[in-house]
Amino acid sequence: MSRRHSTPSLLDLFPPMAAVLAVVPSALSVVLNSPVQMRARIVDDWQSCSPSTDVCATPHFTCCVGVADVSSGKTTCRDSIVGFWGCAKKVPDWSQCTPSDVCASAGFTCCTAIADVSSGKRTCRDRALNDCARRVATLNTCLSTDVCDDPSNTCCTAVSDGIFGAKTCRNRAWNDCRETKAVNFAGVNSYFLHTLPADDQELILNAVAAAGYKAIRIFINRVYAGSKNSRAIYTKDIEPSAVGQYDDTALYRIDALMARCKDRGLKLIISLHDRWSLGTWDNDAYFRKYGSPAGFYTSLSAQQAIDARIAHVLNHKNDLLAGRPWKSLDDVVLAFEPQNEAFGWMDVVNPTWHCDRATALRAALPQTSAILVSSGGGTDIDSSVPPALLSCPAIDVVAVHSYSPNDAAARVATLAKIAADNGKRLLVEEFGTAAADPGAKAAGFAMVAAACNKAGVPWMPWEVVVPGNSSDFEFWKGDPVWKSLEALAADAAAGKGRWPWPEVPY
């Protein structure tokens, strides 16, 4: 039998219109009230996504920046845990961060600010400020405003690259940075060297450089013709007639000495005034105006005048070295001192004088200058290291003077510790013996130099002059003093020091 098929009516195929109209409002409500859910793109795990419009396929995955993508900022669907395979930690703006973090705001980045290069601290910073330090790879050239990529590296000048070599990012474990490698050195005093004829200057400089000495100390004061039986030319102080009235003849002579030192890789320590011109070996303009050493040290006017002298000297331009002012000549000046042996053989009538003058000197130097501020020493060990000097932030180098070889040799190691404990470097800047017997004289000099070498402290004997003087403190080639100190200068250069001396040419 065949089955009959009935034909459906239009009412069977289409529901009543009322039913259709009843469904429309609820459908529209879903669309209008859930626009993101209706339009979101479903993104597979680990694929690139947009946090504002996409939804990750797996429920516990989220669209975020992964640790490995912090530098690019790329977002992918990742496991929502924080970790290498998950999302980078989000850090608030201006807060401390690590390279694996992402900053909260767009346009911010986790970097080391130029101001934080010394500490290496990273913070979330606005890129628009352009104050993030440049990051440099190992052994690449860097600047003091850069930060090395490898945290075990530091931006420094390698010893092998010389005092003016380019800085590179180097591993601290190599211990070959000039700025941090502890070294030692020796220098000499020759306080009126600039007043000698050019041929005598060159004779001394050649011998000093060949013997391995690195620095020479001079004074700015009046020097008489023939001083110490030398061929010295009469040279006026720079304030010969009155305080504040300058005659730069002495400075021009030092200009020429500077050029000669630079040619030989030597540096100068320059004492800007001499306490012994205050009525002892000379009566200079300060003594004539203020009447006594005590008047000089206590008068506010005198202190302002000596500060003006310091500024005048540091702003003097050396036409033999491209017209640069002395304050910028860190390639030939190792240190400036406000005065030689302040308060020598007298009461310290103004305990802040050392620091006040050092502060004025420091303010006259450029902030980037490598020129050191030295204290200038005293007449003996105890007067060389007063507490006020040790606590002065403007002083870099504590200069010790002693003409008692046994005392200096016995105390130098203790003095080095005292200086280091106060954040200073120590220099035994004057020492010597005036024994009539040449052997005894040489032994006295050698005793101090050897003790300094053992303690890692640099030293400078008093003094090199042509010709020498066997019965006084002066010495020259051929003197037993020269021979013994030449060997000890080599030992100083080869031995281990207490401090880094990146400013010294070695």
Side-chain angles (χ1 to χ4, degrees), residues 85-146:
W85 296 108
C87 298
K89 185 177 72 171
K90 189 169 286 189
V91 175
D93 301 341
W94 311 112
S95 297
Q96 194 161 340
C97 55
T98 70
S100 61
D101 297 336
V102 63
C103 298
S105 297
F108 276 61
T109 186
C110 181
C111 70
T112 301
I114 292 174
D116 294 328
V117 164
S118 60
S119 67
K121 182 181 72 173
R122 294 173 181 254
T123 49
C124 277
R125 312 188 65 78
D126 191 340
R127 287 190 179 91
L129 295 178
N130 197 31
D131 68 345
C132 290
R134 185 173 66 110
R135 303 196 71 80
V136 178
T138 301
L139 293 179
N140 283 14
T141 302
C142 56
L143 303 173
S144 58
T145 54
D146 296 335

Side-chain angles (χ1 to χ4, degrees), residues 151-175:
S152 64
N153 287 356
T154 185
C155 182
C156 69
T157 303
V159 171
S160 59
D161 289 336
I163 189 169
F164 302 115
K167 294 178 181 289
T168 51
C169 277
R170 312 187 66 79
N171 194 300
R172 291 181 181 87
W174 298 342
N175 191 31

Side-chain angles (χ1 to χ4, degrees), residues 37-61:
Q37 287 85 342
M38 294 296 293
R39 297 193 301 273
R41 183 171 68 102
I42 305 300
V43 176
D44 291 336
D45 299 344
W46 312 112
Q47 301 305 306
S48 296
C49 58
S50 171
S52 60
T53 59
D54 296 342
V55 173
C56 297
T58 301
H60 59 84
F61 274 53

Side-chain angles (χ1 to χ4, degrees), residues 276-486:
W276 304 111
S277 294
L278 300 172
T280 303
W281 305 121
D282 202 354
N283 298 327
D284 71 359
Y286 289 94
F287 179 79
R288 296 194 300 272
K289 180 171 183 176
Y290 298 105
S292 68
F296 168 80
Y297 289 115
T298 57
S299 166
L300 178 59
S301 170
Q303 292 171 66
Q304 292 170 337
I306 200 70
D307 288 349
R309 176 188 176 104
I310 290 169
H312 177 81
V313 173
L314 267 63
N315 285 302
H316 172 79
K317 294 180 179 179
N318 188 333
D319 290 336
L320 300 177
L321 295 175
R324 290 183 292 152
W326 282 18
K327 64 185 178 184
S328 299
L329 295 177
D330 49 11
D331 51 343
V332 71
V333 178
L334 178 59
F336 286 117
E337 303 173 340
Q339 188 181 55
N340 171 58
E341 295 186 350
F343 301 102
W345 301 127
M346 62 178 287
D347 293 334
V348 180
V349 293
N350 182 354
T352 68
W353 192 90
H354 279 109
C355 193
D356 291 342
R357 305 291 73 74
T359 301
L361 202 168
R362 171 69 66 200
L365 291 169
Q367 287 188 347
T368 57
S369 175
I371 296 174
L372 301 170
V373 175
S374 176
S375 63
T379 49
D380 56 19
I381 289 177
D382 293 325
S383 62
S384 294
V385 288
L389 184 154
L390 289 168
S391 63
C392 179
I395 292 175
D396 302 301
V397 180
V398 176
V400 170
H401 296 184
S402 174
Y403 289 87
S404 174
N406 289 318
D407 190 36
R411 297 175 64 182
V412 65
T414 300
L415 294 169
K417 184 178 186 307
I418 291 171
D421 288 348
N422 285 273
K424 310 296 182 189
R425 287 180 266 181
L426 187 76
L427 168 63
V428 176
E429 188 181 59
E430 283 190 28
F431 68 95
T433 305
D437 176 67
K441 178 179 175 179
F445 276 89
M447 178 188 301
V448 178
C452 288
N453 283 353
K454 185 176 180 180
V457 174
W459 47 271
M460 303 180 74
W462 185 277
E463 71 166 323
V464 172
V465 178
V466 175
N469 185 344
S470 60
S471 62
D472 208 340
F473 295 100
E474 295 77 37
F475 61 94
W476 178 232
K477 290 181 70 174
D479 189 307
V481 172
W482 180 277
K483 294 178 181 178
S484 63
L485 291 183
E486 185 174 24

